[in-house]
Amino acid sequence: MALLKRGLAGEPVRILQSKLGLAADGQFGPATEQALKAYQTAHGLEADGIAGPDTFLALDLPELILLAVGSRGEAVKKLQAALGVAADGVFGAGTETALKAFQTKNGLDVDGMAGPVTLQKISAFAAIITPAVVEKALSGPEVPSADSKPAAAELAKAPHKSLWQTITSFFS
């Protein structure tokens, strides 16, 4: 499942930090965890300091959503209801099978994971996962100028991956 938690680093973490109003260094450390817990508490989410699909929805970061085996919560229930399987909020084998069938039927990559491209095709997510969200997820990160960040030179040397490539690389 796509979760951002303490110890992870990269563009998805930087996006989360920016949304939380933190210095966006791309390193999920104690300050990010503390700010995330405070946000989760204030918005009626489980305050575990781990950003997952429901937290991404609450933060208006749909480009970071990835639902896969092991995912839990309201976003999973919404997916399950749309796929016509028992909506218990736990993404298991039955949800994966139904999702793969949906992906096959709709000419999508059949990987059993629901990210922005797949979710855009599901009517329950259509208002949230717009073409602009998909484009944002599939585009590469903005590289800051050398004047704006000390790590800009390092970022400029790194191979450019799309946000979605970065997120799915956590599972490779």
Side-chain angles (χ1 to χ4, degrees):
M1 67 196 109
L3 300 174
L4 295 181
K5 59 186 179 179
R6 195 171 183 171
L8 292 177
E11 182 66 9
V13 174
R14 188 192 68 73
I15 292 168
L16 174 66
Q17 290 169 323
S18 292
K19 198 68 164 186
L20 292 171
L22 301 173
D25 65 2
Q27 304 292 319
F28 197 126
T32 303
E33 184 178 50
Q34 182 180 7
L36 182 58
K37 283 181 180 179
Y39 179 88
Q40 289 170 324
T41 298
H43 291 85
L45 300 165
E46 181 181 353
D48 57 5
I50 299 170
D54 292 342
T55 299
F56 296 140
L57 284 173
L59 282 164
D60 192 29
L61 292 173
E63 68 273 17
L64 297 181
I65 296 172
L66 174 63
L67 303 175
V69 172
S71 297
R72 298 175 173 271
E74 294 302 314
V76 173
K77 282 184 185 179
K78 192 176 199 176
L79 173 66
Q80 291 169 323
L83 294 173
V85 298
D88 63 0
V90 179
F91 194 127
T95 305
E96 182 181 35
T97 299
L99 181 60
K100 284 181 176 180
F102 176 85
Q103 289 172 323
T104 299
K105 181 180 175 183
N106 287 278
L108 300 166
D109 288 342
V110 181
D111 59 8
M113 296 188 293
V117 173
T118 295
L119 292 174
Q120 182 187 30
K121 301 284 186 190
I122 297 173
S123 61
F125 289 90
I128 301 165
I129 310 293
T130 64
V133 168
V134 172
E135 184 178 331
K136 188 174 185 179
L138 297 178
S139 67
E142 292 181 29
V143 178
S145 71
D147 296 333
S148 65
K149 295 205 183 247
E154 291 302 312
L155 285 172
K157 291 181 205 172
H160 294 284
K161 291 187 196 179
S162 72
L163 178 58
W164 192 241
Q165 288 171 318
T166 303
I167 292 168
T168 56
S169 73
F170 293 148
F171 304 98
S172 303

